[in-house]
Amino acid sequence: MAPATKADPVSHRLAARLRRALEGEVLFDRFSRGRYATDASHYQIEPVGVVVPRSGEDVRAALAIAREEGVPVLARGGGTSQSGQTVGRALVLDFSRHLNRLLEVDAEARTCWVEPGIVLDELNRRLRPTGLWFPVDVSTSSRATLGGMAGNNSCGTRSLRYGIMRDNLLAIDALLADGSEARFGEVGHNLDLPLPAPRRPSGELQQRGERGSGAGGGGEAAIALFRDLLALGRREAEHIAHAFPEVSRRVGGYLIDALVPAGGPVNLATLLCGSEGTLALSRRLQLKLAPAPKNKALGICHFATFRAAMEATRHIVALGPVAVEVVDRTLIELARDIAMFRAVMDAFVRGRPDALLLVEFAEDDQAENLRRLRRLEELMGDLGHPDGVVKVPDAAGQQAVWSVRASGLNIMMSMKSEGKPVSFIEDCAVPLEHLADYTERLTALFARHGTRGTWYAHASVGCLHVRPVLNLKLEHDVRTMRAIAEEAFALVKAYKGSHSGEHGDGLVRSEFHELMYGARTVRLFEEVKDRFDPRGLMNPGKIVRPPRMDDRSLFRFKPDYRVPEMTTALDWSAYPGAGRGFQGAVEMCNNNGECRKLAGGVMCPSFRVTGNERDVTRGRANSLRLAISGQLGPDAFTSDAMLETMRLCVSCKACRRECPTGVDMARMKIEVLAAALARRGLSLGDRLVAYLPRYAPYAARLAPLMNARDAIPGLAALAERLAGFSARRRLPRWRRDAFSPSPRLLGEGGGEGPPQTPPPEVALLADTFNAYFEPESLHDTVAVLDRLGFRVRVLAAGGTARPLCCGRTFLSVGLVEEARAEARRLLAAALPLAARGVPVVGLEPSCLLTLRDEIPALLPGADAEKVAGGALLLEEFLAGEAAAGRIRGPIGRHDGKVLLHGHCHQKAFGAMGAVGQALALVEGLEVETIESSCCGMAGAFGYGVDTYEVSMAMGELSLLPAVRRAPAGAVIAADGFSCRHQIRDGAGREALHVARILRRAMDAGEAPAPA
Ligand SMILES: Cc1cc2nc3c(=O)[nH]c(=O)nc-3n(C[C@H](O)[C@H](O)[C@H](O)COP(=O)(O)OP(=O)(O)OC[C@H]3O[C@@H](n4cnc5c(N)ncnc54)[C@H](O)[C@@H]3O)c2cc1C
Ligand code: SF4
Ligand code: SF4
């Protein structure tokens, strides 16, 4: 497809003026604009440019300059909208990076002031000490911003109890299209109440260039606007009273019903709520807080048919729950197939139900919750579903179940096929008495159009998410989308429901306002829009005067979207498309933004540090998709801009596991590096890293010389200049006494032999890092396995051949063919053992797990799969043997605490449970796992002069502070070689591989007897 055109004179001038006036980032390059061209909908519109304001003054200046240049503006938070409201041909203002402070909390009044870029989970974390929370608990709480939530009038799972965004928004300090400022809050219906108090949230005036917005709600312009709005409310009260469906989930159009006085004051902030950035920019928001629930009880109701669940819903709602959420059979089955969710499903789902209703009670008194749970059981019995409730009274169980529900959409989106569940009618809400008929008729409608949908979400309020599976690259499926939309919305209207119940209107639903609310109501929406924004400069094309929802020129996959065939280095055959499936893997990113979460899990450490859309998995995946489809110009895939996009990716593989659609950026980065190699070659630093396993045996022999860099003043600075290794780091110390396996340990390694006989054999992968820098870890591994009765053979190539290596260092710089050569040697040595059922055990997660991950992608086929199937980390091996009864604990004794940090790859492969199980074999040992993201060292990343700062910042996210807090006597455990170095450099503590802790425990305890 045609690459974006060169910046036109207006955007050129706009960019120059913005750069002169703003403190924040001004991004007009193709890559940046591409990264802001999509949200979680199927649309893609390249913005004119992007501004990341640092202050209110930046926002004002950006708006003023854009207005003068006649360029529209588009506010953006997390960009997780599903309806296309966050994309447009405009100047995008990203509020999420810098304008994200909690400004003030009034615990007594249960209110707070925030900046629009603050993320909901972050806000609630900060509020925790007050016992309060902001209860509009959207599924995207880990990355949705309050500005975006207000923009969309977002709704949470517990809206039955707490209402939706409009019910919890007290005031907005807004910037209007003409540059004037106003506080939108409660006013008397003739503006006869005093305008909202001018109290400024604390801390505000310390911002650069801030100035007050004037007393009350604003200046003369704002007062005139308020008067006109209230007049509209009075004039149209009669019409408005009948214009909208009477369901709680109605977020479509402007909330003009808020302008009609209903006996009390009018809150003008409500009108901005759900206005999707089309009326004003929110600069500060005042929120209503609620006491955090003290107790909860969850009942999981099982139904043999989906209809039965829908019929039961309104009866269940009468019991006073805070949430009733439905999950259908497809979702249940998909969740069962996902490793992360399997255990939860097995624990809480009985048999093969067609649907589940998750029913939560959250009264302060737990006895009352349990009473209601019993009542739920009785009700289910009365409705013909005896024994249909699984009770979950404990918080941990509840959290596990809710995590499956919150991942509902993501679970669906994990489909690898070209057809994907598409959101356009996913948001309809109907009165509860029609829920069963409505869902049945919609299902029939899908079948008529040759597709299907999966149901989940807010049964309690009649708002069910359903996404028909369609391939929007095909004209036929686009026509089907339109036909389904028209028929579905007509159905919803017949049931007096709402077509826009949660995710907003955007490009996908605005067009249908006239069908749903009538022409007069839409004219009123237009009147409101024109009063605020007569020149149409605020996010045009949303809510009023929209384009057609099926205008393919606005789609992410436009009619001319093509990815030319390309050569790739790795196997991507699990996916469809060019580059042996690389295209399909890249296109898996649906922009849901989960990788923008700021806490929990590991993904994505680079974003957690920089907050830059460039440095998040989503930003990288979008850049790749645009590049391979030619939308970023020629050779974009190997360009400097692409390398910059990948630079801070530490290849932690967290996205491989935590991205709901499995986007594996670490692997994609290898493709970029490999493709770019021909153009840019390798730096000296790259070579020193890549070829380390080759020169390690010689370097170790010259250890004193090799270690001189850290001993002789000035050498580190010289090395920094020559090789790019930061002088602020000490390098790992070469060891003259490097690991050198004895003939016994080399014995039969790699040879054919008779079927396995006791004692059982274990092949040890002696990785380069432990072998040449920390041989103790390997010695201790051998000792542990020996004492447990295993015959250890070090995996070797035989004869005088150089030591084996997994190839990771080559992959880290894109030398794929060298890595493939190493992989071949390793497979050749491991295969005969694998054929005899001998496991390959390793210590260093990044090396051993290469056997399970990259090597099958380098050398696809049965051999690699066979070896991968038997490749285990030491702890996985020990835990497996213990589970099989071949090792019996205790295997040693350690009185005290072990503070455990998991290597990213251990976490990405779900191997941390095994570490806990292996350490549990030691008597007296108490394990505390550090909730940490990447340590930041990540191979050579932390040593780079240009990545050192980010590396340290990653460490400071959680790992290093936790280690510093650890009591002096606590043992720090870290299996990753680079993690141990980061801990040493950043916290001054020595960390040990688990093998060393086990060895010490064995020495301290009794010698074990083989079982
Ligand atoms: C997997 C998934 C699950 C979801 N679950 C839910 C759910 O449970 N409930 C729900 O309601 N939604 C849900 N959504 C939709 C979306 O996540 C929410 O609407 C969320 O609140 C949007 O927040 P955001 O920061 O990403 O906003 P954005 O998408 O960045 O912006 C949303 C709108 O607000 C406007 N806006 C942003 N900042 C400002 C500002 N400062 N001033 C004026 N306008 C502004 C934007 O222009 C845009 O129109 C889901 C989406 C996904 C992908
Ligand atoms: S990379 Fe994954 S988590 Fe991030 S937006 Fe894309 S699909 Fe979502
Ligand atoms: S591999 Fe790690 S750093 Fe790279 S994109 Fe994925 S989560 Fe982010």
Side-chain angles (χ1 to χ4, degrees):
M1 85 182 301
T5 48
K6 229 174 151 240
D8 58 50
V10 174
S11 50
H12 194 75
R13 200 172 51 234
L14 177 67
R17 290 189 63 189
L18 289 167
R19 281 195 186 105
R20 279 198 299 273
L22 266 57
E23 198 192 359
E25 297 92 320
V26 176
L27 310 166
F28 275 63
D29 61 288
R30 277 181 170 176
F31 271 70
S32 299
R33 282 185 289 138
R35 283 191 275 268
Y36 284 88
T38 38
D39 55 13
S41 70
H42 56 264
Y43 297 102
Q44 176 182 309
I45 306 175
E46 192 179 77
V48 175
V50 180
V51 159
V52 189
R54 276 189 186 273
S55 64
E57 194 56 33
D58 271 1
V59 178
R60 279 188 210 101
L63 179 66
I65 294 170
R67 187 175 58 247
E68 283 162 21
E69 295 293 342
V71 174
V73 294
L74 168 48
R76 182 175 170 115
T80 66
S81 290
Q82 292 195 29
S83 314
Q85 59 268 57
T86 323
V87 295
R89 187 79 191 140
L91 178 69
V92 169
L93 269 64
D94 179 350
F95 283 85
S96 69
R97 189 169 183 195
H98 303 302
L99 300 178
N100 51 22
R101 294 179 304 165
L102 167 58
L103 297 168
E104 181 182 290
V105 184
D106 185 338
E108 215 168 287
R110 293 184 185 160
T111 63
C112 72
W113 278 98
V114 297
E115 288 183 319
I118 192 167
V119 167
L120 176 58
D121 275 357
E122 188 57 28
L123 171 64
N124 281 331
R125 258 193 297 280
R126 307 268 304 274
L127 288 172
R128 210 169 284 150
T130 66
L132 300 169
W133 74 315
F134 186 67
V136 183
D137 51 343
V138 293
S139 307
T140 39
S141 60
S142 59
R143 65 275 195 197
T145 63
L146 267 297
M149 288 173 65
N152 284 350
N153 191 7
S154 291
C155 316
T157 298
R158 293 166 182 84
S159 67
L160 204 54
R161 167 69 51 94
Y162 298 104
I164 63 177
M165 203 60 198
R166 71 176 285 172
D167 307 306
N168 292 279
L169 191 56
L170 297 173
I172 295 182
D173 281 351
L175 193 55
L176 300 172
D178 63 2
S180 60
E181 299 191 32
R183 175 163 295 179
F184 286 68
E186 277 194 355
V187 292
H189 30 92
N190 282 318
L191 287 190
D192 48 0
L193 278 183
L195 284 169
R199 189 155 67 105
R200 304 297 304 263
S202 58
E204 285 257 279
L205 296 173
Q206 282 132 39
Q207 285 188 68
R208 187 183 71 103
E210 286 279 343
R211 55 170 189 261
S213 63
E220 284 306 311
I223 291 171
L225 171 67
F226 294 171
R227 281 194 199 290
D228 288 351
L229 294 173
L230 293 174
L232 184 149
R234 281 195 301 274
R235 191 188 78 212
E236 299 292 335
E238 180 59 24
H239 170 75
I240 291 171
H242 305 288
F244 301 109
E246 287 181 14
V247 288
S248 64
R249 289 308 192 90
R250 196 264 300 169
V251 307
Y254 295 126
L255 301 181
I256 51 175
D257 51 314
L259 298 176
V260 180
V266 166
N267 190 332
L268 290 172
T270 311
L271 184 69
L272 295 189
C273 187
S275 66
E276 301 183 357
T278 63
L279 300 181
L281 299 177
S282 303
R283 293 206 37 236
R284 287 175 289 255
L285 304 103
Q286 190 188 29
L287 309 172
K288 190 164 106 187
L289 305 175
K294 292 194 178 70
N295 287 299
K296 290 180 189 169
L298 178 67
I300 305 177
C301 301
H302 290 54
F303 296 90
T305 66
F306 188 77
R307 185 175 175 95
M310 296 297 92
E311 279 170 348
T313 301
R314 65 194 153 125
H315 304 293
I316 292 176
V317 165
L319 297 179
V322 294
V324 183
E325 297 279 299
V326 68
V327 179
D328 81 353
R329 176 191 280 268
T330 313
L331 212 72
I332 298 168
E333 298 303 330
L334 282 170
R336 274 204 171 104
D337 282 346
I338 297 176
M340 234 163 93
F341 298 129
R342 197 169 300 130
V344 186
M345 301 307 285
D346 290 348
F348 297 109
V349 181
R350 277 195 215 133
R352 293 258 173 271
D354 207 36
L356 301 173
L357 286 180
L358 312 180
V359 184
E360 183 180 278
F361 300 102
E363 305 308 311
D364 279 353
D365 178 8
Q366 185 66 347
E368 174 59 19
N369 292 327
L370 298 177
R371 197 187 65 75
R372 291 192 194 192
L373 214 46
R374 283 195 296 279
R375 190 61 205 97
L376 178 67
E377 282 184 302
E378 287 160 20
L379 174 68
M380 285 288 283
D382 295 347
L383 293 173
H385 315 291
D387 298 325
V389 183
V390 171
K391 292 191 275 189
V392 191
D394 66 296
Q398 290 164 14
Q399 206 181 349
V401 174
W402 282 122
S403 73
V404 178
R405 156 58 196 98
S407 304
L409 171 62
N410 296 332
I411 292 171
M412 271 191 337
M413 297 304 285
S414 57
M415 288 178 187
K416 291 191 168 106
S417 54
E418 286 268 31
K420 296 273 193 290
V422 181
S423 73
F424 59 107
I425 53 155
E426 85 291 357
D427 223 14
C428 303
V430 296
L432 290 189
E433 65 268 27
H434 301 308
L435 206 50
D437 289 343
Y438 160 70
T439 49
E440 203 161 271
R441 289 179 66 185
L442 205 55
T443 302
L445 172 67
F446 294 156
R448 228 176 334 108
H449 284 284
T451 183
R452 65 202 154 84
T454 286
W455 299 91
Y456 68 98
H458 319 299
S460 55
V461 285
C463 181
L464 299 191
H465 294 333
V466 60
R467 291 179 158 214
V469 176
L470 296 167
N471 179 0
L472 291 189
K473 289 178 183 163
L474 305 176
E475 175 65 27
H476 169 272
D477 282 23
V478 176
R479 278 203 296 271
T480 304
M481 173 174 81
R482 171 132 210 128
I484 292 178
E486 287 175 357
E487 291 178 57
F489 293 150
L491 194 62
V492 170
K493 188 173 164 112
Y495 284 122
K496 297 194 176 3
S498 153
H499 68 310
S500 191
E502 180 169 287
H503 297 150
D505 301 333
L507 295 168
V508 83
R509 272 181 289 271
S510 299
E511 184 197 341
F512 295 94
H513 290 340
E514 192 142 337
L515 169 77
M516 303 305 287
Y517 305 140
R520 179 166 172 184
T521 309
V522 170
R523 297 299 86 75
L524 291 179
F525 292 164
E526 287 168 358
E527 187 180 332
V528 169
K529 168 76 176 174
D530 293 344
R531 181 63 187 85
F532 272 86
D533 178 26
R535 290 175 62 198
L537 290 178
M538 310 293 287
N539 197 9
K542 324 289 155 52
I543 301 186
V544 296
R545 304 184 187 103
R548 277 175 65 92
M549 59 92 80
D550 53 340
D551 179 347
R552 291 185 73 194
S553 71
L554 305 178
F555 280 21
R556 194 181 305 178
F557 301 117
K558 302 185 197 319
D560 60 348
Y561 180 87
R562 300 275 177 285
V563 176
E565 208 29 84
M566 59 190 292
T567 307
T568 46
L570 305 172
D571 176 42
W572 299 91
S573 58
Y575 301 91
R580 295 198 280 168
F582 183 63
Q583 174 190 352
V586 167
E587 288 173 0
M588 284 303 286
C589 174
N590 60 23
N591 281 259
N592 68 66
E594 174 97 21
C595 44
R596 287 176 59 100
K597 67 183 175 183
L598 299 170
V602 176
M603 175 174 72
C604 168
S606 50
F607 177 74
R608 289 188 190 184
V609 167
T610 69
N612 189 335
E613 181 70 23
R614 184 196 60 198
D615 302 326
V616 72
T617 322
R618 177 176 78 176
R620 296 181 176 116
N622 278 326
S623 300
L624 287 172
R625 178 176 49 76
L626 293 168
I628 61 175
S629 56
Q631 298 180 68
L632 296 176
D635 301 324
F637 189 62
T638 56
S639 62
D640 287 345
M642 183 62 83
L643 291 172
E644 187 57 24
T645 304
M646 296 291 163
R647 189 170 64 92
L648 299 186
C649 169
V650 287
S651 300
C652 66
K653 302 192 188 184
C655 43
R656 179 190 189 280
R657 181 179 171 87
E658 293 172 32
C659 160
T661 65
V663 170
D664 186 347
M665 194 50 63
R667 239 195 230 192
M668 292 176 187
K669 181 176 177 179
I670 294 173
E671 292 290 359
V672 173
L673 294 176
L677 207 56
R679 182 178 65 78
R680 73 184 178 114
L682 287 180
S683 67
L684 174 62
D686 286 344
R687 279 177 202 282
L688 287 172
V689 170
Y691 288 92
L692 186 140
R694 299 262 172 92
Y695 63 76
Y698 312 102
R701 269 177 238 148
L702 303 173
L705 186 65
M706 295 300 288
N707 295 332
R709 180 258 194 203
D710 288 339
I712 300 173
L715 275 190
L718 182 67
E720 180 175 298
R721 276 202 301 283
L722 294 177
F725 297 135
S726 170
R728 288 187 276 178
R729 287 265 189 211
R730 278 184 292 157
L731 293 179
R733 290 184 66 74
W734 293 96
R735 293 280 294 269
R736 232 177 176 162
D737 57 345
F739 182 72
S740 168
S742 63
R744 177 179 74 85
L745 287 175
L746 287 172
E748 297 166 9
E752 295 285 346
Q756 189 176 328
T757 48
E761 270 181 275
V762 175
L764 177 65
L765 177 67
D767 62 276
T768 305
F769 301 99
N770 282 302
Y772 296 101
F773 299 107
E774 282 187 36
E776 298 79 6
S777 300
L778 283 162
H779 290 305
D780 287 355
T781 301
V782 172
V784 167
L785 290 171
D786 257 354
R787 287 203 214 170
L788 289 171
F790 297 96
R791 189 154 55 112
V792 182
R793 296 283 173 257
V794 172
L795 204 56
T800 55
R802 62 188 162 80
L804 294 170
C805 148
C806 67
R808 165 150 306 283
T809 57
F810 293 114
L811 290 175
S812 73
V813 300
L815 281 170
V816 174
E817 288 317 314
E818 297 285 3
R820 215 186 307 272
E822 294 301 332
R824 270 199 201 96
R825 297 178 69 236
L826 192 52
L827 281 193
L831 251 183
L833 291 157
R836 287 193 283 129
V838 178
V840 175
V841 169
L843 268 67
E844 173 57 34
S846 59
C847 296
L848 184 279
L849 292 169
T850 305
L851 280 166
R852 299 226 290 254
D853 192 13
E854 286 90 350
I855 291 185
L858 285 165
L859 298 168
D863 288 355
E865 293 300 333
K866 176 127 199 113
V867 172
L872 296 170
L873 286 164
L874 174 68
E875 297 92 331
E876 291 178 307
F877 173 73
L878 295 178
E881 293 298 298
R886 289 187 289 268
I887 299 175
R888 279 201 216 112
I891 62 170
R893 177 149 201 101
H894 174 101
D895 293 308
K897 193 167 187 170
V898 168
L899 203 62
L900 174 66
H901 163 71
H903 184 282
C904 295
H905 295 182
Q906 276 176 306
K907 293 175 188 159
F909 283 81
M912 288 307 291
V915 180
Q917 287 154 25
L919 286 171
L921 291 168
V922 174
E923 201 173 15
L925 186 150
E926 186 198 335
V927 182
E928 188 189 318
T929 304
I930 304 172
E931 271 290 321
S932 50
S933 180
C934 178
C935 73
M937 188 63 104
F941 182 85
Y943 292 103
V945 67
D946 61 336
T947 44
Y948 170 81
E949 298 281 357
V950 173
S951 159
M952 292 312 293
M954 283 182 191
E956 292 299 342
L957 285 173
S958 49
L959 172 63
L960 295 177
V963 172
R964 282 187 209 111
R965 278 195 306 270
V971 173
I972 315 292
D975 277 358
F977 174 77
S978 36
C979 310
R980 294 195 288 276
H981 281 255
Q982 181 75 318
I983 291 169
R984 183 202 63 189
D985 288 359
R989 296 280 294 259
E990 190 200 7
L992 301 176
H993 191 285
V994 166
R996 300 194 58 197
I997 297 170
L998 294 178
R999 163 83 187 262
R1000 287 180 184 189
M1002 280 179 156
D1003 288 348
E1006 287 180 6

